[in-house]
Amino acid sequence: MTHVVAIVPARDRVDSIAATVSALVELSAIGEVVVVDDGSVDGTGEMAREAGARVVTLERNQGKGGAVAAGITASGAPESYLLLDADLGTSASHAKILLQPLADDHADMTIGIFPKSGRSRGFGIVKRAAERLLEEATGRRFIEPLSGQRAVNGPLMRSLELADGFGLEVALTIDAHVAGARIQEIPTPFSHQPSGRGPRGVAHRVRQCRDVVRASASRLGWRSTLEVVVTGLVRKRAK
Ligand SMILES: Nc1nc2c(ncn2[C@@H]2O[C@H](COP(=O)(O)OP(=O)(O)OP(=O)(O)O)[C@@H](O)[C@H]2O)c(=O)[nH]1
Ligand SMILES: [Mg+2]
């Protein structure tokens, strides 16, 4: 049996963390569930612990990338990692789908695609920018460039320097591609709690955009990054 550690970065997710962790601890493929409580003030850490996770507590908020990096540092050297968002709830049980291609040695990283109906309902701007940046960096079109639901080969993961905040996913894909990794996107029946188009959702997208641009700029250069983002905003994606 391969040794798999699931890492769940969480900030103020007391509403969903227990269901997410409970679903993951039930999966025999997962050896340990590590929740990185990133400066939560709502009791997320306690809920996660009660549900069966090992909790790594960050006193001050470090952002998603820093939290995942802390989870990896605290997790020894597993054969594979699962990265999963805290708001998956009971649907986290589908995480095993992401592991199969790694177990079969068909992929080094898998990315979970949400069903169409369950995808984030934002404005699509950050997603389109991320899609274009990944296309520039890898020559491939990704369906869910920002998906945080991933299985990653252990040695590959430990060889990469993770980007800060919400730049994590785009940077992971670019860096894994540069390292020659086999990357597969897989349809999964996950569901989550999209932040939508309200003030919370807009604030989330602004932070996400900033972090994606920073992570890309440090890999592709500022000039290419800004060119790609600006043309992506102006031009509709060619079908
Ligand atoms: N470590 C850490 N994780 C965070 C932070 N903010 C959000 N997260 C986690 O990142 C994951 C994704 O956040 P969500 O708010 O679900 O974002 P999303 O699903 O990409 O976007 P929406 O569809 O707009 O909600 C969840 O596990 C959050 O708990 C943060 O500041 N630090
Ligand atoms: Mg979410």
Side-chain angles (χ1 to χ4, degrees):
M1 176 63 68
T2 51
H3 178 212
V4 177
V5 171
I7 297 179
V8 182
R11 182 188 195 188
D12 295 333
R13 285 294 186 176
V14 75
D15 50 343
S16 58
I17 193 69
T20 303
V21 170
S22 303
L24 294 174
V25 296
E26 286 293 309
L27 296 179
S28 58
I30 297 177
E32 185 171 40
V33 180
V34 175
V35 169
V36 185
D37 178 10
D38 194 11
S40 297
V41 293
D42 67 350
T44 291
E46 292 76 13
M47 286 293 270
R49 200 172 288 113
E50 273 172 33
R54 178 156 67 89
V55 177
V56 174
T57 305
L58 305 178
E59 294 302 335
R60 284 190 39 216
N61 181 252
Q62 295 192 16
K64 196 176 184 188
V68 169
I72 290 167
T73 303
S75 295
E79 283 174 53
S80 312
Y81 298 89
L82 272 168
L83 306 184
L84 298 159
D85 287 349
D87 62 343
L88 295 178
T90 55
S91 81
S93 61
H94 300 298
K96 53 183 181 286
I97 298 171
L98 295 173
L99 288 170
Q100 202 54 52
L102 272 71
D104 295 340
D105 196 25
H106 291 153
D108 305 301
M109 177 162 79
T110 53
I111 304 172
I113 305 169
F114 282 94
K116 255 200 167 121
S117 59
R119 287 187 197 159
S120 298
R121 289 178 210 96
F123 303 94
I125 295 169
V126 188
K127 185 176 172 189
R128 200 158 68 230
E131 215 173 70
R132 299 283 322 266
L133 287 164
L134 285 186
E135 202 175 345
E136 174 80 12
T138 69
R140 262 178 75 177
R141 270 209 181 145
F142 287 86
I143 297 166
E144 288 242 32
L146 299 168
S147 174
Q149 323 327 306
R150 297 174 185 232
V152 189
N153 168 273
L156 171 68
M157 187 74 161
R158 292 188 289 278
S159 73
L160 303 178
E161 196 172 321
L162 303 190
D164 287 337
F166 295 111
L168 171 74
E169 288 87 0
V170 162
L172 252 182
T173 304
I174 296 175
D175 294 347
H177 170 81
V178 169
R182 297 161 298 170
I183 305 172
Q184 250 184 46
E185 280 192 299
I186 307 181
T188 46
F190 287 128
S191 59
H192 71 144
Q193 301 171 349
S195 54
R197 293 182 168 191
R200 211 185 110 228
V202 171
H204 175 53
R205 286 198 171 76
V206 169
R207 279 193 293 271
Q208 208 174 27
C209 189
R210 176 199 63 193
D211 294 350
V212 166
V213 165
R214 278 189 188 152
S216 302
S218 73
R219 286 156 176 85
L220 305 176
W222 276 102
R223 201 194 157 107
S224 295
T225 298
L226 293 178
E227 259 174 32
V228 169
V229 170
V230 171
T231 47
L233 288 179
V234 178
R235 248 186 261 154
K236 273 256 173 204
R237 191 182 118 175
K239 296 276 171 198

